[in-house]
Amino acid sequence: VQLVESGGNLVQPGDSLRLSCRVSGVPQSLSFIGWFRRALGKERDGVSYINTKDGDTKYTDSVKGRFTASINTLENTMYLEMNNLMADDTAVYYCAAASVLVKNPLFEDEYVYWGQGTHVTVAS
């Protein structure tokens, strides 16, 4: 399984951005797909996840109401739509996938497959 992110960019506060994560290999075997981010000097934190089996989607509190995760199964691509971006959203964003049932889907250790990351910078 390979994951490739794209869509990172330099934007201004209040702008929107959509990240993409294309999944190749055996995407139908995946149970959870998550988005994570790592700000400079900080640990990698969970942003959102989708349970591919039942569609359950959750977000970390800081992005609720602003970010929306979705999956296009025909394109084997996951998206993270980010609205009203703030400086605190500046980070390298990663998508990740797991092929088993996970207990804590916003915890990075639950995931085996990772993309290379895409940079998002929010600055005026």
Side-chain angles (χ1 to χ4, degrees):
V1 177
Q2 291 185 321
L3 295 83
V4 179
E5 303 99 333
S6 61
N9 210 337
L10 168 63
V11 296
Q12 295 185 340
D15 284 354
S16 297
L17 201 61
R18 187 177 77 163
L19 305 183
S20 301
C21 174
R22 183 164 180 84
V23 183
S24 62
V26 190
Q28 60 269 26
S29 70
L30 302 176
S31 58
F32 284 80
I33 296 182
W35 284 98
F36 291 77
R37 65 185 181 185
R38 188 199 302 270
L40 187 64
K42 296 186 178 180
E43 296 183 349
R44 187 158 55 186
D45 293 326
V47 175
S48 175
Y49 73 85
I50 298 177
N51 181 329
T52 64
K53 304 307 180 185
D54 62 13
D56 183 40
T57 305
K58 293 289 192 293
Y59 302 90
T60 192
D61 287 344
S62 62
V63 308
K64 284 180 181 177
R66 300 188 298 122
F67 289 13
T68 302
S70 61
I71 294 178
N72 184 321
T73 56
L74 293 179
E75 297 178 352
N76 290 333
T77 301
M78 184 171 76
Y79 298 98
L80 184 66
E81 186 74 36
M82 306 185 294
N83 298 312
N84 191 22
L85 283 161
M86 303 183 294
D88 285 348
D89 297 319
T90 295
V92 179
Y93 284 72
Y94 302 86
C95 60
S99 57
V100 297
L101 182 66
V102 302
K103 293 183 178 179
N104 299 299
L106 287 178
F107 187 47
E108 64 173 335
D109 285 358
E110 297 276 16
Y111 294 83
V112 176
Y113 308 105
W114 289 87
Q116 81 288 353
T118 185
H119 290 256
V120 174
T121 302
V122 185
S124 55

